[in-house]
Amino acid sequence: MADKILFISRDEGSFIDQDLAILSRHFSLTRYPINKISLLKFPSWIKAIFCHDLLFVWFGSFYCLPLIMAAKIFRKKIVLVAGGFDVAKAPEINHGAFTKSFL
């Protein structure tokens, strides 16, 4: 069981706040908001990942890929929450991460 959780999200929202509240009641929780700019601080992220038992990532964004890879290298547990846009491919309404992706 994870005692220390590193919680990463790009945005704030009621669903994210709800997860934060639930997890913080049971675990030691450190929240880091992420964006393109904060990835310039990658060495400090490596230290944070190393010092936590579990990486909890809200939304399957490419911003988080280096952090997830680092967590895998350190053999940390990872929880990745993928929302509708992250897994969708709906070109008829121009919606979803895979609509214009080469993946």
Side-chain angles (χ1 to χ4, degrees):
M1 186 58 98
D3 292 324
K4 295 173 68 180
I5 297 176
L6 181 62
F7 190 101
I8 297 174
S9 66
R10 278 194 333 175
D11 303 313
E12 299 210 8
S14 60
F15 44 87
I16 294 172
D17 293 339
Q18 188 174 23
D19 282 355
L20 284 166
I22 293 168
L23 290 170
S24 65
R25 278 186 242 142
H26 303 284
F27 304 100
S28 173
L29 187 72
T30 306
R31 180 169 189 265
Y32 280 108
I34 186 171
N35 57 39
K36 288 180 182 178
I37 305 298
S38 64
L39 282 180
L40 297 175
K41 302 175 187 174
F42 191 70
S44 65
W45 287 93
I46 296 292
K47 181 180 177 187
I49 290 168
F50 183 76
C51 293
H52 288 80
D53 302 314
L54 183 137
L55 178 65
F56 191 106
V57 182
W58 246 106
F59 297 130
S61 171
F62 282 119
Y63 296 172
C64 299
L65 185 60
L67 305 173
I68 291 170
M69 291 173 64
K72 291 292 263 183
I73 290 169
F74 291 131
R75 297 178 185 243
K76 302 295 181 173
K77 294 175 184 172
I78 302 166
V79 174
L80 174 64
V81 178
F85 184 85
D86 301 322
V87 296
K89 181 177 182 181
E92 59 278 1
I93 60 171
N94 197 28
H95 177 74
F98 294 101
T99 298
K100 297 179 183 176
S101 174
F102 66 91
L103 298 175

